[in-house]
Amino acid sequence: MNKNYYAILMAGGVGSRFWPVSTEAFPKQFHDMLGTGDTLIQKTFNRLAHLIPKENIFILTNERYNDLVFEQLPEVTKRQVVLEPAMRNTAPCILYASLKIQKENPDAVMIVAPSDHWIEDENIFAKNVQQAFDYCAENNALMTLGITPTFPNTGYGYIEFDNASAEAIKSVNQFREKPDYETAKTFIAQGNFLWNAGIFMWSVKSVVEAFKNNQPALYALFENGISAYNTDAEDDFIRINYEKAENISVDYAIMEKSNNVFVIAAEFDWNDLGTWGSLYDKLDKDKAGNAVVNSRTLTEEASGNMIRTKNDKVVVVDGLQDYIIVDKDEVLLIYPKSKEQDIKKVLQKVKHKFGNHLG
């Protein structure tokens, strides 16, 4: 394996739309959401390890999840776990990790990958990442993997690319925010738009330069710690300085402001597993279209439901269509799939009424 290949595995999110399974104390990336025997972070780590030396896969997460990371990925070392003492979106943590990697290996080429995505064909994933790595090793480029839209989804940002080129690697014209339904339909009709999956590839030199040029204040904040990175002084520097960072996404911080951005249309099936409905789409169904994880079910006139409980719990459902039914500890959620985007709001109401320990 190429010792210059690195990964930043993003594992700091809360995944509140997967409540009540996903909570602030134990978020979705540390759960076996698909019932496969592996948690999402374990699946992502193993997928990246097909191409990247295991010791070069860095896990970027909030400090409160430090113990969970070592429990689920016992092969990683303290060097590989990069902890955020405060939540500041994706740009600060990616810059911080990039500076650490650059200090260790200035020739590094890296991928930034969310820990909670579902990818069907891991060999094709590795092929697409290799394409990007080859390009980034030779060019000053910021690259992303885009997903070919299958319908006018309003839940994703979009990437508009220059379709004049017949090459697999396309120049990006602009990033577009999450659209309304009519706008999403026009994007798909135009044919040169991809979903933004939040998967990025670049050389460490290129990404650090992009931060230096586009986010000078943020760059200066973390550049001050270079002498401390990868030493015993690092924790103290980060604890004092990290919370001073602006809360800003990497898309807005550098991708939307740079003119050397490229995209590859992913050739693999992908799902961001952002909601119960997206999980339902990827699970096997019974004859009535019910997706079941861990449960034993008896259903009558029940169809299109997402049913999940602790192992082997018996669930009887009669007369429900297109519902989310999730049982976890002291919470039972029975909620229409059509309103799944509102689960975040419901969680806040539950915490207000019954206590923060439920979320």
Side-chain angles (χ1 to χ4, degrees), residues 122-229:
E122 298 191 345
N123 291 326
I124 296 180
F125 170 79
K127 172 196 162 189
N128 286 160
V129 174
Q130 185 70 63
Q131 278 179 289
F133 276 7
D134 290 344
Y135 191 83
C136 292
E138 300 295 329
N139 299 276
N140 178 17
L142 306 177
M143 295 204 65
T144 183
L145 287 177
I147 309 299
T148 302
T150 52
F151 67 99
N153 194 316
T154 59
Y156 300 139
Y158 284 70
I159 302 165
E160 181 184 350
F161 63 87
D162 180 356
N163 60 1
S165 170
E167 299 296 321
I169 295 173
K170 312 281 191 185
S171 176
V172 170
N173 291 340
Q174 61 180 325
F175 288 80
R176 303 291 286 267
E177 299 298 324
K178 295 175 183 178
D180 59 31
Y181 184 72
E182 291 304 317
T183 304
K185 285 203 295 187
T186 66
F187 287 173
I188 290 179
Q190 285 177 240
N192 64 325
F193 283 81
L194 300 167
W195 288 335
N196 183 358
I199 304 171
F200 306 105
M201 294 79 50
W202 40 53
S203 70
V204 71
K205 180 181 177 183
S206 292
V207 70
V208 169
E209 184 178 308
F211 274 108
K212 187 176 183 179
N213 293 339
N214 295 296
Q215 298 295 329
L218 191 66
Y219 174 79
L221 176 67
F222 285 98
E223 196 265 346
N224 284 335
I226 283 179
S227 62
Y229 296 152

Side-chain angles (χ1 to χ4, degrees), residues 289-302:
N290 298 303
V292 179
V293 177
N294 297 339
S295 314
R296 291 178 289 163
T297 59
L298 176 65
T299 57
E300 298 283 345
E301 296 183 25

Side-chain angles (χ1 to χ4, degrees), residues 59-114:
I59 293 84
L60 215 160
T61 191
N62 191 276
E63 62 182 10
R64 70 187 298 182
Y65 306 137
N66 183 52
D67 291 345
L68 283 171
V69 169
F70 285 112
E71 284 171 23
Q72 299 201 359
L73 301 174
E75 62 265 63
V76 306
T77 64
K78 185 176 185 295
R79 161 186 158 274
Q80 292 168 258
V81 182
V82 183
L83 299 177
E84 307 163 81
M87 300 186 87
R88 289 293 183 270
N89 215 315
T90 53
C93 56
I94 288 172
L95 173 58
Y96 166 35
S98 298
L99 288 168
K100 280 174 58 66
I101 290 169
Q102 185 179 46
K103 185 176 179 182
E104 178 176 295
N105 182 351
D107 297 320
V109 180
M110 54 200 265
I111 178 172
V112 176

Side-chain angles (χ1 to χ4, degrees), residues 237-344:
F237 174 83
I238 289 300
R239 188 160 301 282
I240 293 167
N241 290 282
Y242 197 90
E243 64 181 18
K244 300 174 187 175
E246 182 181 356
N247 190 326
I248 184 172
S249 73
V250 73
D251 301 67
Y252 187 75
I254 62 170
M255 300 300 281
E256 294 180 16
K257 292 177 167 60
S258 301
N259 58 11
N260 59 333
V261 182
F262 298 86
V263 65
I264 294 175
E267 299 172 71
F268 49 83
D269 285 340
W270 168 92
N271 190 299
D272 78 332
L273 293 185
T275 64
W276 285 112
S278 63
L279 178 63
Y280 169 87
D281 290 341
K282 288 305 170 192
L283 292 169
D284 293 334
K285 322 288 193 299
D286 64 18
K287 289 180 181 178
N290 298 303
V292 179
V293 177
N294 297 339
S295 314
R296 291 178 289 163
T297 59
L298 176 65
T299 57
E300 298 283 345
E301 296 183 25
S303 61
N305 298 302
M306 171 72 234
I307 303 168
R308 180 190 167 110
T309 67
K310 286 191 170 180
N311 283 346
D312 288 337
K313 189 160 192 172
V314 174
V315 181
V316 180
V317 184
D318 191 333
L320 276 186
Q321 278 78 40
D322 299 319
Y323 266 72
I324 300 161
I325 304 164
V326 181
D327 181 46
K328 181 175 180 286
D329 301 331
E330 57 186 303
V331 177
L332 171 63
L333 177 73
I334 304 171
Y335 205 75
K337 272 198 324 211
S338 61
K339 295 174 66 178
E340 65 175 4
Q341 295 293 341
D342 293 336
I343 288 177
K344 272 186 175 182

Side-chain angles (χ1 to χ4, degrees), residues 6-12 40-41 44-45 47-48 52 57-60 94 110-117 119 125 129 145 197-202 270:
Y6 283 73
I8 298 176
L9 195 164
M10 305 288 283
L40 294 178
I41 193 172
T44 305
F45 186 91
R47 182 187 311 130
L48 294 171
I52 295 158
I57 302 174
F58 285 69
I59 293 84
L60 215 160
I94 288 172
M110 54 200 265
I111 178 172
V112 176
S115 60
D116 52 4
H117 288 183
I119 289 172
F125 170 79
V129 174
L145 287 177
I199 304 171
F200 306 105
M201 294 79 50
W202 40 53
W270 168 92

